[in-house]
Amino acid sequence: MPRVISEPERPSRTPLPELRHTAAHVLAYAVQDLFPDAKPTIGPAIENGFYYDFDRAAPFTPEDLERLEKRMLEIVAANYEMTGRQVTRAEAVARFEENPYKAELAREIPEGEPITLYTIGAFTDLCRGGHASATGAIGAMKLTSVAGAYWRGDEHNPMLQRIYGTAWHTQAELEAYLRFLEEAQKRDHRKLGAELDLFSIEEEAGGGLIFWHPRGAVMRAAVENFIRDGLRERGYQPVVTPHVVHEKLYEISGHLENYAENMFGPLEVEEQRFRLKPMNCPGHILIYKGHPRSYRDLPLRFSEFGTVYRYERSGVLHGLTRVRGFTQDDAHLFCTPDQLQGEFEQTLDEALRLMHAFGFEDFEYFLSTREAKLRVETDPLAEEAIRKALQSRALPYGIDEGGGAFYGPKLDIYVRDAIGRKWQLGTVQVDFVLPKRFDLHYRGSDGQDHPPVMIHRALAGSLERFFGILIEHFGGNFPAWIAPVQAVVVPISEHQQEYAREVRDRLFTRGFRIEIDESNEKLGYKIRRWKTQKIPYILVVGKQEAAGGTVNVNERALAGGAEPAEKRTIAVDTFAAELQARIDGKA
RNA sequence: GCCGUUGUAGCUCAGUGGUAGAGCACGUCCUUGGUAAGGACGAGGCCAUGGGUUCAAUCCCCAUCAACGGCUCCA
C-alpha cells in the first residue's frame, strides 16, 4: 500500500535549496501545461536558483520563457501543497512509461532506497524529496536563460534543453540578486578589457590567444615585477626555457601518456617531432639534471614566467580566464625529503602574502588527491605534507578526490573577489614521480645518491587568468601601483600647455606612469574622459597652478569603494610624495 | 566538439527584397573654456564568408567561420 508522506513541519522559512528545488517542480508543471510534448528529466536546485532539463524537439524561445514564467506565478499563487508517496519500483517505471529518462532514473535507484513521487496540483514527479511544503513558499522567482545540456552531462547522450531560473523568499532578495548580476556584468573583464584598452583576442589569430595592449602590458609588468621581487627575496633563481621542444622530452615526463589530450599536436621539422610546451616542469628538470647535485645545493628553486600552450575545446574558451596560451608564475623546488615540509609551508605563506597584496581576504583550500589508477606508494607522503602544512597554519580545507595532477597530489587555493565570487588561483603540488622518471638524484651526506622531491608551484596561476580576476575584483578601479596610467595632467587651455609638459616630465622622471591630455576639448570633457578610463589621479593645471608651481588633484574613488579626498591644490613634489607613498603601500 | 542565440562603420546598435543609417570614437576648423559630454563640417561599411532562390539579396534558404550563454550541480 502506498503510504502518504507529508513534508516535515518547518519553522517560518523554507531553506533556499528546498525552495529552489520546489521552483524546479513548478517549472516542470508549467512546461507540462504549456508544452505537453516536452519530457521532463531532472531538475535540481543550484547555487543561486534551479534548472530543469527537458527533452523536446523544438527549442524554447525567450517568448516561451515569458509564458512559462507567467504560468509559474499562477502555480505559486495557487499555493499547491507538495505531497509525496512511496511507490514500488515497478509502479514508478510503469508510471513513466512515456518518459525513458524518468524510467531510467527509477530503474537505477539503489535497492533499499525508497522510491517516491511528489505531486503539486496536477503535476507528479519522480523525486527524492526536499521541498517546501507548498508552492506558495516561493516568494519571488524568474527564469533566466535556456541552454543545451547533455543527458547526465555526457556528450554521447542526447542533448536536452535546460531552462535556468532563480528563486528567493522575497521580491527584495530577487532584486538584490538581479542587481548582483548586473554588477558582475559591469565588471566583466572582457568588457572592461576593451573599454580600458588593456587586451584583445583577435579573430585572425585564433581563440584563446591574448594580445596585451600597451595599457594591459604595463600593468602586467607591474604585477610581474612585484612577483619577481618576492621570488628573489625567497631565494628563487630565474631560469628561461624554450617554448618548443622535442617530443621525446614529454615521453620521458609522461605528458604524452597522461596529458596528450590537453596538448597541441606535433610540429614536424626535418623528420623530428616537436611540441609546444604545456608545462614548464620538464624544462626545469633538464636544468637540474645538467650538473651533479649535492645535498648541500638543495633546496634549489627555479622560477620562470613560463608561457605554456594547452589545447582547450573551442566552446570552453572564455576571455582571459580560459585560454589556449598563458604565462604562469611558475617555479619548481628540488629538495630533500627532510626539507619538504618546510619548503611547502614557506610556499603556502608566499601564496597568502601574494593574495593579500592584491586585496584578496577570503580564501578556501582544496587538497586534490590523485586518480586511483595513477596512485603510487609515495602519494600518502605527499598528501601528508600538504595536510600538515594546512594544519600548521590552522587552515580548513576541502578534499577533491582524484583531482590531482598526474604526477602527484596538489593544493589549490581559491579566493573570493570583491563581490563574493570564488575563483581558483594558485596551486602547489608535491611530486615524487617526475624525479624518478627523469632519474634525478643528489649526493647525500652518506655518500649515496638519492632522488630529490619536487614542489611545483604557481601562485597567481596563469597571469592571464589572474589579470582577468583582478579586473573584475577591482571593477577596473585599479590601485595606483597597478593602474596602467597613474595620473594624467590636464591643462585647462593651451596657455598652460608648457607648464603641463613640465609637470608631466617631472613626474615621468620619477618613474610614474603619467600622461598628458593636450586635446582641444573643454575641461569638463577631458575630466569625463579620464574618469571613464578610471585613472586614479587627474592633475588639473590652469593659470593659478602654473603661477604657483602646483597641481589641482582630482581623485578617483578608491579601489575599496572609499570616498576620494576632496579636490585640492598642492605642490608637484607634494603630490609626487603622496603618489609614491600610495604605490609603496599598495593602496 | 555539441545545443541555442548573435554577426551591419573602430565601439554600441537601428534598418529595408531595389547595393545603408544613428550616437559615441576619429579628422579639420571655430572656440581658450576651472572639474563627468561646446559648435560646425568631414572621412569611414564587400552589411562575417561561400553557395542558392530571385529581374534584383545586407534582408529569404543552405553551408562555413567567429563570438556569446550553457554542456560540473544528478529522481
Side-chain angles (χ1 to χ4, degrees), chain A residues 220-239:
Chain A
R220 171 169 162 162
V223 169
E224 283 184 0
N225 286 338
F226 171 73
I227 294 175
R228 223 187 297 272
D229 290 347
L231 289 168
R232 193 176 148 273
E233 278 168 29
R234 284 160 196 265
Y236 287 79
Q237 299 171 284
V239 297

Side-chain angles (χ1 to χ4, degrees), chain A residues 153-191:
Chain A
D154 183 337
E155 65 189 19
H156 303 295
N157 285 339
M159 176 69 69
L160 308 172
Q161 290 189 65
R162 172 170 301 180
I163 298 177
Y164 282 94
T166 184
W168 302 84
H169 286 116
T170 64
Q171 185 66 23
E173 285 171 347
L174 172 63
E175 280 165 19
Y177 175 65
L178 295 177
R179 272 197 304 279
F180 163 80
L181 288 185
E182 214 173 292
E183 178 63 27
Q185 226 166 42
K186 258 192 252 164
R187 289 169 177 254
D188 189 316
H189 71 275
R190 293 166 302 178
K191 180 170 134 69

Side-chain angles (χ1 to χ4, degrees), chain A residues 44 56 64 111 115 146-147 157 197 273 283 292 318 323 325 378 392-393 421 480 518 530 536:
Chain A
R56 177 173 182 246
D64 292 341
E111 205 54 52
I115 299 176
V146 55
N157 285 339
D197 196 17
R273 283 151 77 92
H318 183 89
V323 294
T378 46
S392 73
R393 303 295 185 271
R421 293 169 306 175
E518 297 186 327
W530 294 103

